Amino acid sequence: GMKRFHGRAALSLLLLLALVVCCADGDSDCRTVQEHRHYSNYAVLAYTLCGIVAVTSPCVCCCCLAPGCCLPPCACCIACLVALFVACGPFFRNGAVMHTAVNMDASTASYSFSPENDKGAMCEDSWNKLFGASRCGFFRAHHEDSDRFVWRRSPECVVTNGSHVLGEDPGCNTTGMVQIAAYAYDDGNKPFQNASLLTIFDHMLKVDTDYVLRLTFKKNETVYDLFLPDTSAALETHAINHRHCDKYDKGYKLGLYFGGQCKAPQAVTVCYGG
């Protein structure tokens, strides 16, 4: 009857939403943070759909428990769990090592805040988020415990008066380069307040060039490696010490985010590979 139709329709919609997130391919594509945004469109879509599936899965499962509704209760609830895993599973980390290829678009080395922006100098100096994950458990907040590669355009090329951006240095030797750093939260301690949780890499990334970033999570530290593709020797390696936690190999993944406090002044793009 009508209950059976509504139950099957709800389950079909749930599975469809899960497949949309899965087919969006969270590991291999180009992400763009549009002007006046923090997140890419992919992140907004994927996290929204994951949230919808997470909220509706129990409801659909409960609906299936009603007599004469949808599939057999056991099969229906299993289908709901599958939908939840497909939609939200890719955002979780269950392992000690994660890596990605990155290619920084020219926009990541040329964005500029307006001279009228009273926080322009601070915004130019802020670190944007590139790749990483939380640690110490699937549901431990990343502002409590996490490790990420972060990036910003070469600060040497930006001329400021301490608060406002005045322009660019035409003779800058690092024009077209992107600075990266190891950036960690540890038991609520913040990287911008603790020098031991923020380490700037000596190597800078050239735009339109492929690199590989690797994070190796351990009980008491995380190791950050920068590679060129198809090479076994790292260009540079840093380690950040952490408090001991047994669930160091579990967390949720963190991707492209502009800021800090400031939203992107122009669109910026980063391409990721598997």
Side-chain angles (χ1 to χ4, degrees):
M2 188 59 67
K3 284 185 179 180
R4 183 179 296 273
F5 172 77
H6 286 162
R8 287 180 175 170
L11 183 59
S12 298
L13 179 60
L14 194 66
L15 292 170
L16 178 61
L17 288 175
L19 287 173
V20 167
V21 180
C22 181
C23 293
D25 194 352
D27 293 322
S28 180
D29 62 347
C30 292
R31 311 279 174 81
T32 298
V33 177
Q34 299 293 344
E35 184 177 3
H36 306 315
R37 297 276 296 277
H38 284 301
Y39 292 99
S40 67
N41 289 334
Y42 166 81
V44 173
L45 172 65
Y47 285 115
T48 299
L49 292 182
C50 171
I52 292 173
V53 172
V55 170
T56 56
S57 289
C59 298
V60 174
C61 185
C62 289
C63 172
C64 292
L65 298 178
C69 182
C70 198
L71 301 172
C74 183
C76 183
C77 289
I78 290 174
C80 289
L81 290 175
V82 169
L84 184 61
F85 177 79
V86 170
C88 301
F91 301 116
F92 290 93
R93 173 182 66 88
N94 187 20
V97 180
M98 60 186 297
H99 61 85
T100 187
V102 295
N103 187 302
M104 311 298 287
D105 181 77
S107 58
T108 60
S110 61
Y111 65 87
S112 183
F113 288 86
S114 167
E116 285 75 39
N117 188 328
D118 292 335
K119 296 182 178 180
M122 180 201 71
C123 295
E124 288 281 1
D125 198 49
S126 295
W127 291 102
N128 309 301
K129 313 314 182 290
L130 184 58
F131 167 75
S134 64
R135 52 181 286 131
C136 301
F138 291 127
F139 302 106
R140 181 71 174 173
H142 64 274
H143 284 158
E144 294 295 324
D145 291 281
S146 62
D147 288 278
R148 282 182 283 187
F149 281 92
V150 293
W151 65 277
R152 63 185 178 187
R153 64 171 297 182
S154 174
E156 300 174 2
C157 298
V158 182
V159 180
T160 74
N161 63 3
S163 57
H164 295 80
V165 174
L166 302 180
E168 299 185 12
D169 180 359
C172 182
N173 293 326
T174 53
T175 297
M177 306 285 281
V178 176
Q179 190 175 61
I180 63 169
Y183 182 97
Y185 282 83
D186 183 62
D187 201 22
N189 293 305
K190 302 174 176 61
F192 45 86
Q193 295 176 348
N194 295 270
S196 64
L197 299 176
L198 175 62
T199 303
I200 299 175
F201 277 65
D202 293 326
H203 280 81
M204 300 184 76
L205 306 189
K206 297 178 181 178
V207 298
D208 300 322
T209 303
D210 293 334
Y211 295 91
V212 175
L213 308 177
R214 184 176 70 188
L215 289 168
T216 304
F217 296 85
K218 302 180 181 182
K219 288 185 178 181
N220 296 99
E221 69 174 6
T222 298
V223 179
Y224 294 67
D225 291 305
L226 170 66
F227 295 89
L228 288 174
D230 303 318
T231 59
S232 57
L235 289 173
E236 192 171 345
T237 297
H238 293 284
I240 291 185
N241 293 325
H242 281 278
R243 70 182 179 91
H244 175 92
C245 69
D246 292 329
K247 295 181 180 179
Y248 66 93
D249 57 345
K250 294 176 175 57
Y252 53 87
K253 298 176 184 178
L254 299 163
L256 182 62
Y257 180 91
F258 194 96
Q261 300 178 33
C262 311
K263 297 179 180 180
Q266 296 90 35
V268 294
T269 299
V270 177
C271 294
Y272 293 84

